[in-house]
Amino acid sequence: MAASPELELERLVAELPLLEEPVESLKMLKTAVLALPMSTLRERVPGLRLRGLFNLLNGDDREQIALCVSVLERLLEALEPVFVAQNFKEELQRGLYHPDDTVKILTVSQVGRIVASSEAIVEIFSNVELLRQIIHCIGGEKISVAKEAIKSLSRIAQTKAGLEALFVSTLLNDLKTVMAISDIVRYRVFELIVEISSVSEESLGYCIKSGFISQLLEELTGDDVLVGVTCIEMVTTLASTFHGRRYLAEQGVIDKISNMIISAGSDPFSGFYLPGLVKFFGNLAILDSPQQICERYPAFVDKVLEMAEGHDVTMIGVAVDTLAILGSNVEGKQVLQKTGGRFQVIFKKLGSLAQSSSTELRVRCLDALSSLLYLPPDQHTDDLLAMTAFWFSSLSTQPLEMLKSISTQPFPELHCGALRVFTAIANQLWAQKLMINSPGFVEYVIDRRVDPDKPSKDAKFELVKALVNSPTTAETFGNQHYLRLRAYIRDGPYYVKAISTVAVEGAE
């Protein structure tokens, strides 16, 4: 009589350390482990002697190591993080020194589970050597190991004890030692520092005292263009928090970035770093106030418009995305409106690019138009409605027909992009009048045959819903058309009309 899977699991784990050639038994164990549900493993695994399995990692047989890793991954998942932390400290430490990257990844992922548990993380703080080895994993060749190490250290630093362990002990010297390995590793450490700094003002304070933040900012404004490109992305992440923005402003960093934009015109290498600088201010504008940022740093707005007016496709794309960010709220739209005729010309260019450029840029232009033209229902003042109507008319001589033409092209991303523009303006009275006066437009809106895939059907449904939810649609479109739109909503986005057929005797 065959043993139950549970007993087979226990037998295999117990006999493995006694075998000279354990590979075949490991294969059987892997099959047994994968066959048992996690609920059963959670009951059985705490009583198993897993140290023998860990010891099998010490050989140089790659197949044996791979099987051990696969089995341990499943078995350790069945254990509570605090159990792993208390019972396998030495095994975890050895795993971080292991020459095989799969063993390191297994170990670091278990450390990640431990530090994510408020009950288990305290076990880590008392193990300085384990923390030291996690830090040194940042400098490894395998990026997946480094990423897991950064994630774990970032979690550790979310507690006061973790901050003290990393920044007020000998481990700070380990971080600096690892940082000196190479440029790539230095940026990994900066990534960790920025992640920690973004958690709270207290954590930022620890990172400032460590000297890492000032080093990052020095490299941002240094002479190495490629270094600056990497640093601006990290500084943008730091600026995504209020305490981070305040610190950068106090240190004059935001003014320096503005000056970098101003001087970019005379720098032949500005194409490398200018997109990052513009994105930095675009994010600032949304997080704080578009009006305040644009008024305090006029070079930013001027540069975005200049990039949009130019011929460099990469710069145009960045400018289009930034205009979309700026125009995503009413305050930003008003800032752009103040640029006068210059923005009207850019709007015309957006219309032209939406019709004829690369598919990617066309989609970005359509998404920017959706952002710029949308007005929340509570912002439908005469001035704002006149502004969006004027912008829309600047797109082309017949903007509605132009967008309808794009929406009928056999490219799903363009089809959906055009539908999103229609959805953005669907609640505005001037747009509804244009729609009802465009021959066949309502028929196109309720024609399900022109939407070939799920994203297209969803985009069309959002358009119809926006029309139905607008209080002016019924009167503008007329009762007959309005009821057809209501029926579309009632039937849902994926409705297929049944077609009845009649069988004729003798028909082939």
Side-chain angles (χ1 to χ4, degrees):
M1 183 176 178
S4 68
E6 293 90 338
L7 292 175
E8 183 70 0
L9 170 69
E10 292 172 11
R11 181 185 70 79
L12 288 168
V13 171
E15 72 176 20
L16 272 170
L18 308 175
L19 300 175
E20 290 186 12
E21 299 292 336
V23 169
E24 290 305 316
S25 290
L26 277 169
K27 289 178 181 177
M28 294 169 62
L29 177 58
K30 180 179 178 181
T31 302
V33 165
L34 292 176
L36 289 170
M38 186 55 70
S39 56
T40 302
L41 289 175
R42 288 197 179 99
E43 293 175 5
R44 296 282 180 169
V45 174
L48 299 178
R49 296 181 178 179
L50 297 184
R51 281 194 171 81
L53 260 176
F54 277 104
N55 289 335
L56 291 177
L57 292 170
N58 298 332
D60 53 8
D61 185 323
R62 289 196 170 187
E63 185 180 13
Q64 178 176 311
I65 290 172
L67 286 166
C68 274
V69 167
S70 182
V71 171
L72 281 168
E73 199 170 41
R74 177 78 169 165
L75 294 180
L76 291 173
E77 187 185 346
L79 296 172
E80 291 296 324
V82 68
F83 185 94
V84 176
Q86 290 172 345
N87 291 276
F88 301 112
K89 289 181 180 179
E90 292 180 9
E91 286 77 10
L92 291 175
Q93 202 163 301
R94 283 205 309 269
L96 292 174
Y97 283 100
H98 203 284
D100 191 300
D101 284 326
T102 60
V103 180
K104 282 184 180 177
I105 292 172
L106 169 69
T107 310
V108 177
S109 65
Q110 288 304 312
V111 172
R113 289 182 66 218
I114 292 167
V115 299
S117 164
S118 57
E119 186 182 1
I121 194 172
V122 294
E123 301 290 335
I124 293 286
F125 297 144
S126 60
N127 194 340
V128 176
E129 195 53 42
L130 181 65
L131 284 171
R132 177 172 288 112
Q133 194 53 32
I134 296 172
I135 289 171
H136 282 273
C137 282
I138 299 176
E141 291 183 14
K142 197 83 170 179
I143 184 66
S144 55
V145 176
K147 287 288 185 186
E148 284 292 337
I150 290 170
K151 190 190 300 182
S152 293
L153 290 168
S154 180
R155 282 175 175 163
I156 288 169
Q158 290 182 20
T159 65
K160 174 83 170 178
L163 288 168
E164 291 283 331
L166 289 176
F167 296 110
V168 192
S169 74
T170 57
L171 293 177
L172 180 60
N173 292 329
D174 287 279
L175 273 171
K176 292 179 178 179
T177 300
V178 168
M179 199 176 201
I181 291 175
S182 68
D183 288 345
I184 292 174
V185 175
R186 186 166 76 257
Y187 300 137
R188 291 178 191 169
V189 175
F190 279 147
E191 180 186 339
L192 169 65
I193 295 301
V194 168
E195 279 193 28
I196 294 172
S197 299
S198 300
V199 172
S200 67
E201 192 160 7
E202 181 183 28
S203 59
L204 173 60
Y206 276 90
C207 293
I208 292 169
K209 288 177 184 176
S210 72
F212 289 126
I213 294 291
S214 59
Q215 185 177 344
L216 170 64
L217 298 180
E218 283 172 14
E219 294 195 19
L220 168 66
T221 54
D223 296 328
D224 192 318
V225 173
L226 295 179
V227 167
V229 171
T230 306
C231 292
I232 189 63
E233 292 179 8
M234 296 183 181
V235 172
T236 300
T237 301
L238 182 57
S240 65
T241 64
F242 175 76
H243 62 271
R245 290 195 299 281
R246 184 170 64 187
Y247 172 76
L248 292 173
E250 289 171 352
Q251 298 301 307
V253 176
I254 300 178
D255 290 326
K256 287 179 181 177
I257 295 175
S258 178
N259 291 334
M260 289 169 72
I261 289 179
I262 293 169
S263 60
S266 58
D267 185 353
F269 299 105
S270 63
F272 288 106
Y273 61 82
L274 193 53
L277 303 183
V278 169
K279 288 177 184 176
F280 173 83
F281 277 105
N283 289 333
L284 275 191
I286 289 304
L287 291 165
D288 281 342
S289 155
Q291 185 173 344
Q292 288 179 19
I293 294 298
C294 294
E295 286 180 354
R296 182 168 180 181
Y297 307 101
F300 157 59
V301 182
D302 189 63
K303 183 58 68 174
V304 172
L305 299 181
E306 182 185 310
M307 289 163 63
E309 292 163 344
H311 302 288
D312 186 316
V313 175
T314 301
M315 295 298 184
I316 290 172
V318 174
V320 167
D321 295 343
T322 307
L323 290 172
I325 292 171
L326 281 175
S328 62
N329 62 34
V330 169
E331 187 181 322
K333 297 182 206 296
Q334 291 172 321
V335 168
L336 295 172
Q337 175 72 345
K338 288 178 182 177
T339 63
R342 192 177 182 187
F343 190 59
Q344 182 187 355
V345 173
I346 288 172
F347 230 85
K348 185 176 181 180
K349 185 170 183 178
L350 287 175
S352 176
L353 290 170
Q355 293 178 80
S356 57
S357 58
S358 68
T359 301
E360 182 198 3
L361 186 54
R362 293 176 74 185
V363 172
R364 290 163 81 176
C365 287
L366 290 169
D367 286 342
L369 292 175
S370 302
S371 178
L372 289 161
L373 292 168
Y374 175 71
L375 281 178
D378 61 347
Q379 297 286 346
H380 283 200
T381 64
D382 291 343
D383 288 345
L384 290 175
L385 287 168
M387 178 187 72
T388 53
F390 178 69
W391 285 356
F392 187 78
S393 68
S394 303
L395 286 173
S396 72
T397 52
Q398 291 186 304
L400 196 78
E401 300 307 317
M402 179 265 285
L403 287 166
K404 185 178 175 184
S405 173
I406 294 173
S407 74
T408 56
Q409 293 177 15
F411 302 101
E413 57 268 55
L414 292 174
H415 178 70
C416 293
L419 288 175
R420 286 193 292 271
V421 179
F422 286 139
T423 304
I425 61 176
N427 67 358
Q428 300 177 54
L429 181 59
W430 60 264
Q432 293 174 2
K433 289 179 178 178
L434 288 176
M435 291 175 181
I436 197 62
N437 290 326
S438 173
F441 188 85
V442 176
E443 285 68 23
Y444 163 73
V445 169
I446 60 175
D447 185 357
R448 295 179 183 273
R449 295 170 299 176
V450 298
D451 306 305
D453 50 33
K454 184 179 182 299
S456 300
K457 295 179 192 299
D458 289 339
K460 177 67 76 66
F461 190 75
E462 290 301 314
L463 167 57
V464 179
K465 188 165 66 173
L467 286 168
V468 168
N469 289 341
S470 170
T472 55
T473 301
E475 183 178 348
T476 309
F477 276 51
N479 195 48
Q480 182 182 357
H481 289 317
Y482 182 66
L483 290 175
R484 292 169 76 189
L485 294 171
R486 289 280 298 271
Y488 191 107
I489 293 294
R490 185 186 63 242
D491 292 335
Y494 315 118
Y495 174 77
V496 178
K497 188 175 181 180
I499 301 174
S500 59
T501 58
V502 178
V504 179
E505 186 178 351
E508 293 183 358

